[in-house]
Amino acid sequence: MRNKVEARSMEISMEKERCTSKRKKVLNFPKKMKKILKNLWIVGKEDPRRVIHALKVGIALTLVSLLYLMEPIFEGVGKNALWAVMTVVVVLEFSAGATLRKGLNRGLGTLVAGSLAFFIEWVAIHSGKILGGIFIGTAVFIIGSMITYMRFIPYIKKNYDYGMLVFLLTFNLITVSSYRVDTVIKIANARLYTIGIGIAICLFMSLLVFPIWSGDDLHKSTFTKLQGLSRCIEACVSEYFENKEKDKETSDSESDDEELIYKGYKTVLDSKSADEALAMYASWELRHTRLCHRFPSQQYMKVGSVLRKFSYTVVALHGCLQTEIQTPRSIRILFKDPCVRLAGEICKVLSELSESIRDRRHCSPEILSDSLEAALKDLNTTIKSQPKLFLGSNLHGDITNKHLNGDISYYNDTNSNDIVSYHNDNNSNGCVLGQTVEQNDTVSPLPLSVVSLSSLRSVKKSAAAIGEKRRLRKQLSKIAVMKSLEFSEALPFAAFASLLVEMVARLDTVIDEVEELGTIACFKEYDKTVEVRVEKPVDLVVGD
C-alpha cells in the first residue's frame, strides 16, 4: 500500500513538472517570436536589397506557375511545366551576374547535351539494335569521362562547372532513355522549351526589375575597405598616445576603439573570397559605358590584394598596443606630435583614394604632398634628438629605475633552486623585491636552507603567499626582459614608428594600382575646381 502511494505521488510530481514546462514554453513563445522577428528585421535593415530579391523570387514563381494554372497554356506545355518551376528556383540568384552565369550555363548545357544526344540516337538507329547499343555505351563512357575530367580544369571549374554538370546529366538521361523509349526526343524538346521559359523569366526579373549588379558591390567594397583602414590607423594612433593607462583587469575586454580597429583590418583580410566571387559574377555582367566595354574586375582584385598587404602593417600596428612590454608614457609623449602628424597624412591619402574610387575619378596629382615628406622628416629629426633612448646609457638606466620605482625589481638566480631574496626599500612604499647581488659578481649555487629570511618562510607556509609568489613571478619575467637591455623601454615605440614609416612606403603600391584602375575603368579626370570632401581629418586629435 505504501509503495502504491509513493508511486502515485511520483506520478503527480512528474505531471506537475510537465505542466510547469509546458506553461514555461507557452510563456516563452512570445519572446521567441519577438526574437525571430527582430532577427528578420536586422537582416533586412543591413541590406534592403534582400527584401527586394525575396519579392522578385516570389513574383517569378507566380509567373511560372501560370503554366500550370492557366488551362490553355497547360494544354500546350503539359506536365513539363515542372521544369520551368525548377529552373526558376535554381537559376534566380541575388545578383544579375550570378543569375546570368547560372542561366546561361543551364541553357547552353541543356541545348548542347540535347543536340549531341539527338545525333547519337540518329547514328544508333541507323546502326542496328546491337551495334546501336554498343555505340551508345561507348559514347556515354567517352563523353562522361571527358566531361568529368574537364571539370578539374581551374578556369572551367570556376566559370562553367554548373553547365558541365547539367550537360552530363541531360546527355545521359536522353541518350540512355532513347534506346528503349521512342518518344524521348519529343519529351526532351518539350522540356527544353519549358527550361527556356524559366530562364527567360529569371533574366527578366534579374536584369530589368531592380537589378543588383555585382560590379557595384565590388566597387563599393573597395572604397569601403580604404575608409576602414583609414579609421583603423587613426584609432590605433589615438589609443597609443592617449592619457589613460591600460588596466589589466579590463585589458581582455575590447573597447569601442579596439572593436573599430579590429573590424577595420579584419574586413580587408577576410575579403578575398568575397571579392573573388563578386569579380567572377561581375565578369558575366555585359554592361558597358561609352568608352569601356567590360567591367575591370581583375584590376579590382589587384587593388584588393595590395590593400591586404597594406593591412598587414595595420595588424602589426594594432599589436603594438597589446604588447606585454610598453614604452612609458613619459617617453612616448616625446614623439607624439610627429607620429600623430604622420598618421594624419597617411589617413588623408587613404581617404583621398577612397573618395576617388567612390566618385569614379582619378586621384589628385598631388596626393603624396609635401606635408607627408615633412612629417617623415619631422619624425626622423625627433628620433635623432633622443639618441640615448635608443643607444642606451647610464642616464637611461636612471629613467628605467624611475619607471620601476614602486614596482617589482628582480633577481633571477641561475641555480636550480630559484633563490629569491627580499629586502625593504626605504625609498619606496612597502616591501619590494630587490637585486641583492651585483651583476659582475659570481653567483654560486646555494642550498635552500641558506635562505633564512622570515618573509620567504611565510611565503612557503601560506597558500595565499604562494599565489602571490606566482603572480610576482609573472611580473619578474616581464621586468627581466626590460632590465636585460638598457634601451628596451624604447624598443616598443621603435617598432610602432617603423610601422608608420612602412605604411608610407606601401602607399606607393596602393596609389599605383588605384591609378591603373582609374585608367582601365575610364574614370573621369581630376578637376581642381571641384572641392573634394575628405571624411577623415588631416590632423588626428589625441588627448594630452
Side-chain angles (χ1 to χ4, degrees):
M1 185 69 181
R2 183 178 178 182
N3 295 333
K4 291 182 178 180
V5 173
E6 290 179 355
R8 181 61 181 170
S9 62
M10 290 179 63
E11 291 179 358
I12 293 174
S13 62
M14 292 176 64
E15 187 67 24
K16 289 182 179 179
E17 289 179 359
R18 293 193 196 99
C19 294
T20 304
S21 62
K22 289 181 180 179
R23 190 180 297 110
K24 288 182 179 179
K25 290 181 180 179
V26 173
L27 294 176
N28 291 333
F29 181 76
K31 295 181 180 179
K32 291 182 179 179
M33 290 300 301
K34 184 179 180 181
K35 185 177 180 180
I36 293 173
L37 293 175
K38 184 179 180 180
N39 291 334
L40 292 175
W41 174 261
I42 291 174
V43 170
K45 188 177 180 180
E46 289 178 353
D47 191 352
R49 298 178 303 173
R50 296 170 180 171
V51 180
I52 297 175
H53 175 68
L55 296 176
K56 287 163 63 176
V57 173
I59 295 173
L61 290 174
T62 303
L63 292 176
V64 79
S65 299
L66 296 178
L67 298 177
Y68 265 110
L69 299 177
M70 298 182 68
E71 190 68 26
I73 301 177
F74 180 77
E75 291 178 356
V77 177
K79 296 181 179 180
N80 292 315
L82 178 64
W83 290 91
V85 178
M86 293 177 59
T87 301
V88 170
V89 173
V90 173
V91 171
L92 189 55
E93 293 285 346
F94 181 75
S95 64
T99 303
L100 277 169
R101 175 176 172 266
K102 267 200 170 181
L104 294 179
N105 270 274
R106 185 176 179 85
L108 291 176
T110 304
L111 181 62
V112 175
S115 303
L116 186 59
F118 177 78
F119 172 75
I120 290 177
E121 185 197 14
W122 181 82
V123 174
I125 290 174
H126 290 79
S127 300
K129 195 70 174 177
I130 298 176
L131 292 178
I134 296 174
F135 179 74
I136 289 176
T138 304
V140 168
F141 170 76
I142 294 175
I143 294 178
S145 301
M146 183 178 64
I147 295 299
T148 303
Y149 183 78
M150 290 176 64
R151 290 178 64 191
F152 289 107
I153 300 175
Y155 179 77
I156 293 178
K157 187 175 184 63
K158 179 180 178 181
N159 294 282
Y160 305 104
D161 186 69
Y162 181 69
M164 289 289 185
L165 187 63
V166 170
F167 171 86
L168 196 60
L169 178 63
T170 305
F171 173 78
N172 283 275
L173 288 177
I174 297 176
T175 304
V176 176
S177 300
S178 63
Y179 186 73
R180 297 291 182 182
V181 182
D182 295 334
T183 60
V184 68
I185 297 299
K186 294 181 180 179
I187 297 173
N189 289 334
R191 290 180 179 178
L192 181 62
Y193 295 147
T194 54
I195 290 173
I197 293 172
I199 292 174
I201 292 175
C202 291
L203 295 180
F204 173 78
M205 297 301 299
S206 183
L207 299 178
L208 301 179
V209 180
F210 297 103
I212 300 172
W213 304 104
S214 298
D216 291 343
D217 290 343
L218 183 59
H219 179 83
K220 182 179 179 181
S221 173
T222 302
F223 70 77
T224 302
K225 287 184 289 188
L226 282 165
Q227 292 176 353
L229 289 176
S230 176
R231 297 189 184 101
C232 185
I233 296 171
E234 178 185 3
C236 281
V237 177
S238 298
E239 185 175 347
Y240 191 76
F241 290 104
E242 64 186 0
N243 189 11
K244 59 182 180 181
E245 294 292 336
K246 210 171 187 180
D247 190 7
K248 291 184 180 180
E249 296 180 356
T250 60
S251 61
D252 295 332
S253 60
E254 291 185 346
S255 62
D256 294 338
D257 290 339
E258 288 185 347
E259 188 68 20
L260 176 64
I261 296 170
Y262 181 71
K263 286 183 178 180
Y265 62 74
K266 186 176 182 297
T267 302
V268 180
L269 295 177
D270 296 344
S271 64
K272 183 177 180 180
S273 59
D275 288 350
E276 287 178 350
L278 290 174
M280 181 180 62
Y281 297 149
S283 64
W284 287 84
E285 296 172 357
L286 304 178
R287 297 185 301 160
H288 65 276
T289 59
R290 185 165 56 91
L291 297 176
C292 298
H293 297 278
R294 292 203 67 179
F295 184 80
S297 56
Q298 294 302 317
Q299 186 59 33
Y300 276 98
M301 291 291 295
K302 292 181 180 179
V303 174
S305 178
V306 297
L307 287 180
R308 281 189 293 273
K309 293 179 181 179
F310 184 86
S311 64
Y312 297 154
T313 57
V314 183
V315 176
L317 194 72
H318 184 214
C320 292
L321 308 179
Q322 300 175 339
T323 55
E324 291 294 331
I325 301 175
Q326 289 286 343
T327 301
R329 188 174 182 274
S330 59
I331 298 178
R332 273 184 285 175
I333 201 68
L334 300 175
F335 309 96
K336 173 184 172 181
D337 291 337
C339 287
V340 168
R341 182 182 176 188
L342 181 60
E345 293 297 327
I346 295 173
C347 293
K348 177 182 177 182
V349 173
L350 292 176
S351 298
E352 165 63 19
L353 293 174
S354 175
E355 293 288 332
S356 66
I357 295 177
R358 189 193 67 179
D359 299 337
R360 300 180 187 273
R361 61 168 177 81
H362 285 280
C363 303
S364 171
E366 300 176 354
I367 186 170
L368 291 178
S369 60
D370 296 335
S371 301
L372 181 61
E373 183 179 359
L376 279 172
K377 292 181 178 179
D378 189 14
L379 178 60
N380 185 40
T381 304
T382 308
I383 291 176
K384 285 184 177 180
S385 65
Q386 302 290 337
K388 296 179 181 179
L389 295 177
F390 301 96
L391 299 179
S393 66
N394 293 330
L395 290 177
H396 182 68
D398 296 338
I399 297 177
T400 303
N401 294 329
K402 183 178 180 181
H403 174 62
L404 296 176
N405 187 24
D407 293 335
I408 299 172
S409 59
Y410 83 106
Y411 173 69
N412 285 332
D413 199 352
T414 57
N415 57 50
S416 59
N417 293 324
D418 294 336
I419 298 173
V420 182
S421 61
Y422 292 78
H423 74 280
N424 289 330
D425 189 356
N426 296 327
N427 296 328
S428 61
N429 295 327
C431 180
V432 298
L433 183 66
Q435 183 174 347
T436 59
V437 182
E438 295 296 329
Q439 294 180 358
N440 295 329
D441 294 343
T442 303
V443 182
S444 60
L446 297 176
L448 188 60
S449 59
V450 175
V451 182
S452 58
L453 296 177
S454 59
S455 59
L456 183 58
R457 291 175 181 174
S458 62
V459 168
K460 292 182 179 179
K461 293 180 180 180
S462 174
I466 292 175
E468 182 70 15
K469 183 177 180 181
R470 291 177 180 175
R471 185 182 67 82
L472 295 177
R473 186 174 296 170
K474 293 181 180 179
Q475 296 181 2
L476 293 178
S477 62
K478 185 190 300 184
I479 300 174
V481 177
M482 297 179 66
K483 294 282 287 184
S484 62
L485 296 175
E486 291 185 16
F487 52 92
S488 60
E489 285 184 341
L491 285 180
F493 170 76
F496 185 86
S498 65
L499 289 171
L500 290 177
V501 177
E502 178 66 18
M503 287 182 185
V504 177
R506 296 194 179 193
L507 278 177
D508 287 333
T509 307
V510 179
I511 294 172
D512 292 341
E513 294 297 337
V514 172
E515 280 296 322
E516 183 67 18
L517 173 63
T519 302
I520 298 175
C522 303
F523 286 175
K524 58 186 178 182
E525 294 296 330
Y526 176 75
D527 189 2
K528 296 182 179 180
T529 60
V530 178
E531 182 180 358
V532 180
R533 180 180 60 85
V534 180
E535 295 184 357
K536 294 286 103 183
V538 177
D539 295 325
L540 303 180
V541 179
V542 182
D544 293 329

